[in-house]
Amino acid sequence: MKGGKFLDASVWKFLLVGVGNTLLSMVLMFALEGLGYWPSTAIAYVAGAVMSFFLNRHFTFHSEETALRSAVKFALNVAVCYLLAYGVAQPVMELIPRPEFLPLIWWERLTKLVGMGFYTVLNYFGQRFFAFRK
C-alpha cells in the first residue's frame, strides 16, 4: 500500500471503471431477465468482467504481471465475488417482506441491485489485494 493508505486513488479509478461496467452489466442483465436470475446475472457479469479486466489492469492498478497470470487471478476473483454477492443478496432480500404495491419483477430487480452493491465492494478488494496486487 502506498504510504500506508488503505483507500487511495485506485478507489476513484475503480469506481469510474465500475460506472461503465455497471451500465453495461445492467443493460444486459435486464435485457436478459427472461432467462432467469442466475443466467441473466452471469451473462451480464462475464461481459462486464472482460471490460473491467482490461481497464482495471492497466488504468486502475497498473499491473505488471503477465496477462495470463493476472487474467486467471482476475477470473477467480470475479467468480468468487459473483457467487458470494448474488448468493447473499437473494436470501437477504427474502428476509425482507416485499411491499404489496411493488410488482415481483421490480423486487427481483432490486435484489439484483443489492447483489451489485455487494459485488462492487468485494470485487474492489479482491482486485486490489489479489488479482492485481503489486
Side-chain angles (χ1 to χ4, degrees):
M1 286 182 274
K2 290 180 182 176
K5 286 185 180 179
F6 191 64
L7 298 175
D8 59 13
S10 68
V11 171
W12 302 113
K13 290 179 181 182
F14 182 83
L15 290 173
L16 181 61
V17 169
V19 167
N21 181 358
T22 299
L23 290 174
L24 173 65
S25 295
M26 282 177 61
V27 167
L28 287 173
M29 190 181 305
F30 295 140
L32 300 172
E33 67 191 0
L35 299 175
Y37 181 83
W38 289 104
S40 66
T41 58
I43 292 167
Y45 269 82
V46 167
V50 170
M51 182 176 105
S52 180
F53 171 75
F54 290 106
L55 291 175
N56 281 325
R57 181 170 188 265
H58 295 289
F59 173 68
T60 306
F61 299 109
H62 308 285
S63 178
E64 295 177 11
E65 277 192 310
T66 65
L68 179 59
R69 181 173 167 87
S70 58
V72 169
K73 288 168 55 178
F74 179 86
L76 180 61
N77 177 65
V78 166
V80 168
C81 291
Y82 167 76
L83 291 172
L84 282 173
Y86 285 90
V88 167
Q90 222 173 10
V92 163
M93 293 300 285
E94 287 172 1
L95 295 173
I96 303 168
R98 178 176 57 90
E100 294 283 331
F101 67 86
L102 192 64
L104 181 59
I105 189 71
W106 285 100
W107 189 252
E108 290 173 356
R109 289 173 179 163
L110 182 59
T111 301
K112 290 175 183 178
L113 289 172
V114 169
M116 283 180 179
F118 288 156
Y119 176 86
T120 299
V121 172
L122 293 171
N123 191 34
Y124 170 75
F125 290 105
Q127 285 190 39
R128 180 170 178 191
F129 297 111
F130 174 67
F132 301 124
R133 184 177 182 185
K134 293 184 187 220

